[in-house]
Amino acid sequence: MKILVILAHPNLEVSRVNQRWNEELLQYPNDITIHELYKEYPNWSIDVPREQSLLEAYDHVILQFPLYWYSCPPLLKKWLDDVFAYGWAYGSKGDKLKGKKFGLAMSIGDEKENYLPEGSITFTVDEVIVPFKASLGHVGAVLLPYFAVFGVSFQASDEEINHSATEYIDYILKHQQ
């Protein structure tokens, strides 16, 4: 089954990492469908039935976004709030996401060592993504290990960005099964 990538970057045109990841994803049209939230919903009026139907068509979903203030961009949060609705995603009759695999692919501005327990941020990435773990667990979905590239605010080299794109595709295809 194909993989759905929900790409949520409010400034994709200036993101070297997410642009490069997107270019790499486009090389796999038979395996990966890309759904750009900020392009699809510039007015933030989310077509909930359409988004729910889209999610129902896939068993494997990747949420791709830059880490913003230790969270996701606001349109992705709104998308989650609107689309993961009672009676559809959870509740006595809400089971549409049960068993679906979700992965997180994040570009992170700060260095990896700062996200270690002794790092300057004082939180690990695993702790930062707890709301995703809780939300996906609540709807019965399976959260895959996350994929992240660190230090993107510190002018990552083209070589590092290209390497991360290759690793990203490997991550997606590895967890496809």
Side-chain angles (χ1 to χ4, degrees):
M1 170 145 307
K2 285 179 74 169
I3 300 159
L4 175 63
V5 174
I6 303 292
L7 174 53
H9 197 300
N11 297 306
L12 187 60
E13 62 280 353
V14 299
S15 170
R16 291 174 57 226
V17 171
N18 282 272
Q19 270 189 28
R20 180 62 187 93
W21 287 0
N22 194 34
E23 290 169 3
E24 194 68 23
L25 294 171
L26 290 169
Q27 301 303 310
Y28 297 84
N30 295 327
D31 299 308
I32 299 169
T33 299
I34 305 166
H35 185 54
E36 291 184 54
L37 290 185
Y38 280 87
K39 185 177 180 181
E40 193 70 31
Y41 300 112
N43 64 359
W44 289 50
S45 181
I46 295 171
D47 183 344
V48 172
R50 179 174 176 252
E51 295 299 310
Q52 290 173 339
S53 292
L54 186 62
L55 286 174
E56 288 176 24
Y58 293 85
D59 291 326
H60 187 185
V61 180
I62 302 293
L63 304 176
Q64 178 185 326
F65 58 93
L67 197 64
Y68 268 32
W69 286 106
Y70 313 103
S71 187
C72 62
L75 184 57
L76 179 56
K77 174 63 170 108
K78 180 178 178 9
W79 181 87
L80 289 165
D81 290 345
D82 292 356
V83 176
F84 284 29
Y86 178 82
W88 182 81
Y90 68 98
S92 62
K93 297 181 182 177
D95 63 356
K96 300 296 191 225
L97 298 175
K98 188 172 184 174
K100 291 187 183 280
K101 296 178 187 176
F102 278 77
L104 306 177
M106 300 170 286
S107 56
I108 300 174
D110 213 335
E111 301 292 342
K112 186 174 186 174
E113 54 270 9
N114 290 331
Y115 282 92
L116 298 174
E118 64 278 1
S120 65
I121 292 172
T122 71
F123 293 99
T124 66
V125 173
D126 281 318
E127 292 169 319
V128 171
I129 66 170
V130 163
F132 286 100
K133 292 177 183 180
S135 297
L136 291 167
H138 186 69
V139 300
V142 176
L143 179 61
L144 300 169
Y146 68 83
F147 177 82
V149 61
F150 294 85
V152 298
S153 293
F154 299 101
Q155 294 301 90
S157 70
D158 289 344
E159 182 179 327
E160 291 168 322
I161 292 171
N162 286 333
H163 182 70
S164 76
T166 301
E167 288 181 327
Y168 181 33
I169 290 298
D170 290 346
Y171 160 83
I172 289 175
L173 297 178
K174 171 185 168 188
H175 289 101
Q176 182 179 12
Q177 289 80 16

